[in-house]
Each structure stands twice: as structure tokens, then as C-alpha cells.
Amino acid sequence: MLAFAEDAPDAHAVKIDGKEGSYETLEAAVRAAESGDTIILGEGNYTLYKISSEGMTKGKNLTFVGQGPDKTAWNIGAEVPNPEYYGTEYNGDYSFDGAGTVTFKNMTLRSGDKDYLGFIRIDNTVVENCVINGETFYWGYKSAVFTNTTFNAPDGRYALWTYSSPIMTFDTCTFNASGKVINVYTDYSAGAHDITVNFNNCTVNSSILNKQALNINDSNMRPYKYIIHIDNPQTITAALSNTTCSQLFGFKEDKTTGFTGNTGYTDVYLDGDLVWTDGKMKTHSYTVGEKEDAYEITGRSDWTPSGAERIDECEVTKTCKHCGWTKKELEHAQATINKVYREGL
């Protein structure tokens, strides 16, 4: 059983930075806090679940600082979600309903392994130097920023969905998953506005047998788009998409029904360059196929090996072994001879 802050006041004394004294419960500290205050949490487990935001967090900007992810934990929502509410938002956490900007630092945030979990109706959320265990849907309804945060997804489930935030930023984050990482999808605000995902300096440790780091489904976004900026990706271990030729991003597909989540309402920028738009690859330069030089080459039979009519160059067709992308280019005789010699062909 979890030892909540209210259960052990001596072990879980809470302070408001810059103010005298301490509070025996998290609820008392939050009720006394003014907008802009920083609340210092001791070691232990905390939650505001089932406490109304009225007179507590509503209309306030608050920062909560723990003693480190190994010492301080915050429980998002119920310890055990109610089966009667599966498929709805009602297992979510309303304790910050109507809050302005809420920041969590130096702690572990705990969620569950069911859909539609998270903090309901906060304007902006900021998570810094934290660990997030479990799957979440709801973060800031205007923006959500995660910095130096580790996500541990439940087995077989996503770490999170881009569900409620028009702008989500992940900076120097690590994702540990068993095949699903980030689901770039919403039904809540689909077709209402663009949704921007910034994925900067991030590392992904996931299964190579399931999905890409960003699994996109833009089938209900018209006339708006997902706008994805991927900058300086670190080690990315995830499945390779045969559509995008990338482990970084791909689209939901169901070969049995013919469904595709690639309907032309996603723009992907990699290190500032637009690489995917209107449902098509704009350049092959970013792909795994290009990096591995994984091409089938045809057209070399046109060479004339000797004689007065010797051909010094010919047009060849290069076809990516992963995604089928093709291009034609001229090859020179000596370059081809050198390549054949090197590869022992």
C-alpha cells in the first residue's frame, strides 16, 4: 500500500519555499500556497487525487520539487483505475482542473496501464528531471514540456499519447518501451488545430519488432496537421518503417483492412529540413536505407567491357531495399570496377 503524505506527517512534512514553517499534509500546503509559489516535498509518496481544485489549485501557477526520483513520488489518479470508467477520461486526475502552469521537478510520477489517464484541464504542464512510470494521455491543454525526463512505458503499451496538448516538447528525454513509445494521435481535438511535437536530443530504447518512436495517425486531422520537429536524435532503437524508411517516425497501418494513418496531414522536419509532407517522402537523405547504402542496383549490364565502342558511363537505377524508393544516376566505369572489387562481387 502507498504511504500518502497525509498518512505520515513527520516523514512527509511539506514546505513552501521562502515562507516560514512547514505543513503536515500536501493538501494544507497547496491550500495555503499562492500563485507562483514553489512547494518543497520531502521523501515519500504524494497525491491530490479526489481533492477538488476549488480553493486549492484552480487559477494558480505552482511548482512542486521533490528530493529526487528515487525518494519522492507523485501518484497521478487512482492507485487502481475503476473498470467502470475504462474508455473514458473519468479515471483521470482532476485535482489541477483549471490550474495555470504546474511544474514537477525531481520526482517520479506514477500512472497506470489504462487509456485516458493523466491530469485533466491544466493549462500548461512542465516536467523536469523526473521519471514517469505508466501511460498518460492528459497533460497541459495549451502546452506540455518534458525536460531530462525518463519515460518507462507499461509492457505492450505507449508511454504517452499526444492527446490534449497543442504543443508538446520533449528535450533530452529517454523512452524505455516494449514496442510502443509515443502515439501521435488524438480524437479529443482532431481537426480543431495543428498539433506540434518537438522531439529534441532524445533517446529511445524499444523493440525493433513493433512500432517507430513516433507512431502517427493523421486520418482525422483534416484540415489541420501534425507538425513534428525532430532535432539531433540520439540512439533510436525501434522498428523500421517500410513507408518512411525510418525508426524515428512511421504511420499506423492495418494490412488486413487497408487502413492507413498516412493521409497527408503530417509534416516532419529533421534537423530543420522538411523530409515528409503531403503523405510522401520529400527526400531519401534522412533514411536508414541511405545511411546503410542499402540499394539494389540495376542497369550495369549496359557496360561494354572493351573495344572501340567502350562505354565509360551508364545510367543505373538504385532501389532502396527497405522502402522501395528509387532514383536514377550515372555511374562511371572505374568507380563501378572499384566497388565490385571492394565488395567481392
Side-chain angles (χ1 to χ4, degrees):
M1 295 295 292
L2 297 172
F4 295 111
E6 291 77 6
D7 298 333
D10 293 335
H12 301 278
V14 182
K15 297 181 179 181
I16 299 177
D17 191 36
K19 296 184 179 180
E20 293 289 335
S22 61
Y23 298 84
E24 292 188 352
T25 67
L26 174 61
E27 180 180 355
V30 173
R31 194 174 297 279
E34 299 175 352
S35 183
D37 278 350
T38 295
I39 298 171
I40 309 298
L41 307 178
E43 296 186 20
N45 299 291
Y46 296 83
T47 190
L48 291 175
Y49 182 61
K50 290 293 187 181
I51 297 175
S52 172
S53 65
E54 294 289 341
M56 286 282 292
T57 61
K58 192 170 185 177
K60 294 179 181 179
N61 301 323
L62 297 170
T63 297
F64 298 89
V65 181
Q67 303 304 305
D70 60 333
K71 294 181 172 63
T72 304
W74 188 294
N75 296 286
I76 304 172
E79 182 181 356
V80 179
N82 186 341
E84 294 182 6
Y85 296 150
Y86 288 173
T88 76
E89 71 177 46
Y90 298 114
N91 276 313
D93 193 324
Y94 291 84
S95 58
F96 289 97
D97 188 355
T101 298
V102 178
T103 301
F104 299 93
K105 297 182 178 181
N106 305 334
M107 66 181 74
T108 291
L109 297 163
R110 296 171 174 165
S111 184
D113 62 356
K114 299 294 184 287
D115 292 342
Y116 303 107
L117 302 178
F119 293 114
I120 308 294
R121 289 194 289 270
I122 304 175
D123 283 350
N124 305 287
T125 53
V126 179
V127 179
E128 296 181 9
N129 304 318
C130 289
V131 172
I132 300 177
N133 294 330
E135 183 177 31
T136 52
F137 281 53
Y138 297 101
W139 292 94
Y141 280 52
K142 293 182 178 178
S143 71
V145 178
F146 304 89
T147 303
N148 195 30
T149 291
T150 297
F151 294 80
N152 296 316
D155 188 40
R157 301 187 69 89
Y158 291 101
L160 79 165
W161 292 38
T162 61
Y163 197 74
S164 64
S165 307
I167 303 174
M168 299 195 85
T169 299
F170 304 92
D171 195 352
T172 319
C173 293
T174 298
F175 297 84
N176 299 313
S178 59
K180 299 178 179 179
V181 185
I182 298 177
N183 195 23
V184 182
Y185 176 76
T186 184
D187 52 34
Y188 163 76
S189 57
H193 51 71
D194 289 337
I195 295 176
T196 299
V197 179
N198 302 308
F199 194 76
N200 310 322
N201 308 300
C202 291
T203 297
V204 174
N205 304 308
S206 185
S207 169
I208 62 172
L209 300 176
N210 205 325
K211 298 180 183 294
Q212 295 70 54
L214 301 171
N215 178 65
I216 307 165
N217 178 1
D218 65 19
S219 60
N220 61 356
M221 280 296 287
R222 182 178 183 182
Y224 294 96
K225 288 187 174 186
Y226 291 112
I227 302 173
I228 299 172
H229 295 270
I230 302 172
D231 291 307
N232 194 33
Q234 302 301 299
T235 301
I236 306 295
T237 303
L240 175 63
S241 167
N242 291 328
T243 300
T244 66
C245 202
S246 175
Q247 294 171 297
L248 284 165
F249 71 99
F251 292 87
K252 180 179 180 180
E253 296 177 346
D254 188 335
K255 294 181 180 179
T256 60
T257 64
F259 173 85
T260 178
N262 178 30
T263 63
Y265 295 94
T266 298
D267 288 345
V268 179
Y269 295 82
L270 180 57
D271 292 328
D273 295 328
L274 182 63
V275 299
W276 189 276
T277 189
D278 296 328
K280 296 179 292 186
M281 186 183 296
K282 190 172 177 63
T283 173
H284 196 253
S285 61
Y286 72 92
T287 66
V288 171
E290 184 74 16
K291 292 175 182 175
E292 293 180 350
D293 196 24
Y295 290 108
E296 295 282 356
I297 300 177
T298 56
R300 285 180 178 154
S301 59
D302 295 338
W303 291 115
T304 300
S306 63
E309 299 299 322
R310 177 183 177 89
I311 301 173
D312 291 323
E313 65 180 16
C314 74
E315 186 179 72
V316 298
T317 299
K318 301 177 70 173
T319 304
C320 179
K321 295 177 182 178
H322 298 307
C323 68
W325 182 88
T326 62
K327 69 175 178 179
K328 294 182 182 295
E329 63 181 34
L330 291 177
E331 276 200 354
H332 295 274
Q334 192 57 52
T336 301
I337 292 169
N338 291 343
K339 180 178 177 63
V340 170
Y341 180 77
R342 286 196 308 270
E343 298 179 0
L345 302 177

